[in-house]
Amino acid sequence: MNNKSEMSLVGHLNELRKRLTVMVIVNLIVAALLFNRAAVIMQYLLDLNPGMQLVYISPSELLLVYIQISFIMALVLCSPLNIYEVWAFVEKGLYKREKAAVLTALVFGLVCFIGGAVFCYFMVLPTILQFFVRIEIADVASMISVKSYASFANTMLLAFGCVFEMPVLVFLLTKLEILTPEFLKKNQALLIVVIFIFAAIITPPDVVSQIMLGLPMVLLLQLSILISVLVDKKNRKKHEQEAAQ
């Protein structure tokens, strides 16, 4: 029995290794193919620039920026494959009810991530950059490096994409009966404090970026509580029906 369990564990580890290998290789290939298109994506980021004077201060800086953009583009474009590989690995160990919840979370998680990044690109980044321009000192010329500008924009886009996953995560945890709406309501004040601490950690060190991320997170928390309430009611109703049978 122990040998069978050990072989089963080894088999799972081998499968995990194979799936991770596929994900890494495909993402690397796609990133290499997209390298020549990185300048196009960089131009979209530059279009948000409200008049900042950008420079590069080392010969390799533009190359590193293009590599960074290529990998981010590859992760986005390969996300359906990545989601499939994750799903194919975890679904074998799930019950039927859990499979439906996890698959739903993976699909809508991708949609929410894209929605968060789009919201950041069109609403948040232009506002933040305009604010930074307005607080410049007249006698001091701004010399912002391309690397720092691209890193700031990419960090904000990824941060908002991840933050918009909150309702999906709450849906999944409530569906699996790991999380309850009562817990969220009881600890709402503490969660808001944690949200702003989290926003301070993952955003650049300025108050404006932290507030621009923290406020949508608070709104998403309210939406997540509502989702948790609805899912919990559905869980309770299902349990009542099963008990009556």
Side-chain angles (χ1 to χ4, degrees):
M1 189 69 176
N2 290 335
N3 290 335
K4 185 177 180 181
S5 298
E6 290 177 2
M7 288 299 294
S8 177
L9 176 61
V10 172
H12 283 303
L13 292 176
N14 284 333
E15 183 181 1
L16 176 61
R17 177 180 58 81
K18 291 178 182 179
R19 294 196 179 280
L20 288 176
T21 300
V22 170
M23 291 168 61
V24 170
I25 291 176
V26 172
N27 279 265
L28 287 175
I29 292 174
V30 173
L33 294 175
L34 291 173
F35 179 78
N36 290 332
R37 308 299 298 173
V40 177
I41 301 301
M42 185 62 194
Q43 187 58 52
Y44 280 106
L45 298 180
L46 293 175
D47 289 342
L48 297 174
N49 186 354
M52 294 179 177
Q53 181 182 357
L54 301 182
V55 299
Y56 62 92
I57 57 179
S58 69
S60 62
E61 185 167 329
L62 283 178
L63 174 64
L64 295 175
V65 169
Y66 285 176
I67 291 175
Q68 181 189 67
I69 291 175
S70 299
F71 276 106
I72 294 175
M73 290 167 58
L75 285 173
V76 173
L77 292 179
C78 293
S79 55
L81 171 68
N82 297 336
I83 289 175
Y84 168 77
E85 293 294 340
V86 172
W87 167 249
F89 176 74
V90 302
E91 63 95 14
K92 296 178 182 179
L94 300 175
Y95 294 107
K96 184 177 180 180
R97 179 177 64 87
E98 295 173 338
K99 287 182 180 181
V102 173
L103 183 58
T104 301
L106 288 173
V107 173
F108 281 97
L110 175 60
V111 175
C112 290
F113 182 90
I114 294 174
V118 170
F119 173 77
C120 179
Y121 180 84
F122 287 103
M123 301 295 294
V124 178
L125 274 176
T127 303
I128 292 177
L129 293 174
Q130 287 286 353
F131 175 81
F132 289 156
V133 169
R134 286 198 297 269
I135 63 173
E136 287 183 350
I137 301 176
D139 296 331
V140 179
S142 62
M143 302 275 293
I144 303 169
S145 71
V146 173
K147 182 180 179 181
S148 62
Y149 178 84
S151 296
F152 172 80
N154 290 331
T155 299
M156 293 297 294
L157 290 169
L158 291 174
F160 270 82
C162 292
V163 163
F164 271 58
E165 301 286 345
M166 186 191 301
V168 178
L169 180 61
V170 169
F171 162 80
L172 178 61
L173 294 179
T174 306
K175 190 69 175 178
L176 299 178
E177 300 183 3
I178 299 174
L179 185 68
T180 63
E182 289 76 18
F183 174 84
L184 293 175
K185 293 176 181 178
K186 181 179 178 181
N187 297 279
Q188 188 172 173
L190 177 61
L191 290 173
I192 292 175
V193 174
V194 173
I195 281 173
F196 280 97
I197 294 175
F198 176 76
I201 293 174
I202 68 173
T203 56
D206 63 88
V207 177
V208 178
S209 300
Q210 295 164 10
I211 293 176
M212 292 292 288
L213 180 59
L215 291 179
M217 287 182 70
V218 173
L219 295 177
L220 286 171
L221 174 61
Q222 305 306 314
L223 175 61
S224 299
I225 293 175
L226 176 60
I227 291 174
S228 183
V229 170
L230 296 176
V231 174
D232 185 66
K233 286 183 179 179
K234 190 173 181 179
N235 287 344
R236 293 177 185 273
K237 184 177 181 180
K238 184 175 182 180
H239 289 317
E240 291 175 355
Q241 292 175 346
E242 292 175 350
Q245 292 178 354

